[in-house]
């Protein structure tokens, strides 16, 4: 269960005060895309996402979209936000992401991986031994490939909640 236990939990990214990341000494935010920033059907960022990313950047935080999704979609989305992106990172496996982070000279101690899936986002962050922030699904629909992960995610998430392992981000502030 430790593999899937997030450091922090929130209903969605937009409820998290950007000062929280400074408080926990996170300078690099590795952001999942689908169901974390927007629906997988959304080609370009919503106004809410644009405003939130602006707040992060104003605090000298470095948001980087970190997605298993294909390059074209991720790059177009990130370009619209004027931020970096890493696509096809094969979460939950850490090797591809670690290689890309090393190329960018990113210190893992300054990172937090943020996403909506225990089986990919949280497992990858924990494998990298970095902080993680688990979010609830932003929208109801999922990509077809995500449905399989959700079968395991739902009971595991319920167990984490029952055991008091979903630490609310607000408790840090």
């Amino acid at each position: 269960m430790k593999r899937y236990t997030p450091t922090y939990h929130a209903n969605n990214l937009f409820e998290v005060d950007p000062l929280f990341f400074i408080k926990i000494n996170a300078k690099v935010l590795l952001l999942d895309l689908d169901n974390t920033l927007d629906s997988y059907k959304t080609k370009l960022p919503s106004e809410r996402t644009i405003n939130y990313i602006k707040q992060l950047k104003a605090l000298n935080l470095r948001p980087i979209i970190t997605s298993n999704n294909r390059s074209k979609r991720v790059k177009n989305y990130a370009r619209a936000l004027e931020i970096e992106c890493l696509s096809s990172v094969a979460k939950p496996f850490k090797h591809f992401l670690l290689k890309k982070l090393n190329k960018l000279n990113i210190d893992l101690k300054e990172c937090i991986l943020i996403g909506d899936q225990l089986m990919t986002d949280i497992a990858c962050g924990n494998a990298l031994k970095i902080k993680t922030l688990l979010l609830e699904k932003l929208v109801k629909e999922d990509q077809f490939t995500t449905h399989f992960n959700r079968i395991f995610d739902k009971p595991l998430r319920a167990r984490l909640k029952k055991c008091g392992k979903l630490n609310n981000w607000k408790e840090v502030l």
Side-chain angles (χ1 to χ4, degrees):
M1 192 143 114
K2 188 176 180 182
R3 178 180 183 186
Y4 303 110
T5 302
T7 315
Y8 309 104
H9 176 261
N11 287 322
N12 64 67
L13 180 62
F14 308 104
E15 79 169 23
V16 179
D17 184 334
L19 293 173
F20 162 77
F21 300 112
I22 292 171
K23 177 95 174 175
I24 64 166
N25 298 314
K27 295 177 183 172
V28 178
L29 283 61
L30 304 174
L31 298 162
D32 180 49
L33 174 53
D34 296 331
N35 245 328
T36 296
L37 293 174
D38 272 307
S39 163
Y40 80 94
K41 294 178 180 179
T42 306
K43 302 273 188 249
L44 295 172
S46 63
E47 199 62 38
R48 172 171 69 168
T49 302
I50 292 167
N51 291 334
Y52 193 79
I53 296 297
K54 282 181 183 176
Q55 290 176 48
L56 296 174
K57 289 165 55 174
L59 292 170
N60 292 318
L61 296 170
R62 186 177 177 185
I64 302 174
I65 295 176
T66 308
S67 177
N68 285 349
N69 225 311
R70 64 192 184 282
S71 179
K72 184 179 178 185
R73 169 170 157 58
V74 178
K75 282 182 180 177
N76 289 338
Y77 191 94
R79 191 177 304 119
L81 290 170
E82 299 177 355
I83 62 174
E84 299 165 279
C85 68
L86 303 171
S87 59
S88 304
V89 296
K91 294 177 285 184
F93 308 108
K94 69 179 185 178
H95 305 320
F96 293 107
L97 181 54
L98 184 58
K99 193 175 191 179
K100 292 179 181 203
L101 293 173
N102 285 338
K103 270 187 171 179
L104 295 173
N105 294 316
I106 292 175
D107 184 350
L108 291 179
K109 293 178 199 136
E110 297 179 340
C111 292
I112 183 168
L113 199 150
I114 302 166
D116 65 299
Q117 292 188 61
L118 290 168
M119 309 304 287
T120 56
D121 304 312
I122 303 308
C124 184
N126 286 341
L128 289 168
K129 295 181 174 47
I130 63 174
K131 295 176 187 92
T132 57
L133 173 61
L134 175 66
L135 308 172
E136 298 301 316
K137 286 172 52 170
L138 194 58
V139 294
K140 187 176 179 177
E141 69 266 357
D142 271 319
Q143 284 179 298
F144 177 76
T145 54
T146 306
H147 288 287
F148 180 75
N149 288 343
R150 297 282 185 204
I151 293 169
F152 297 100
D153 187 288
K154 191 173 182 180
L156 187 53
R157 196 179 289 244
R159 187 170 173 208
L160 288 167
K161 187 175 183 178
K162 184 179 178 182
C163 295
K165 301 273 186 185
L166 295 180
N167 299 319
N168 192 304
W169 70 272
K170 292 178 187 173
E171 295 171 11
V172 175
L173 291 179

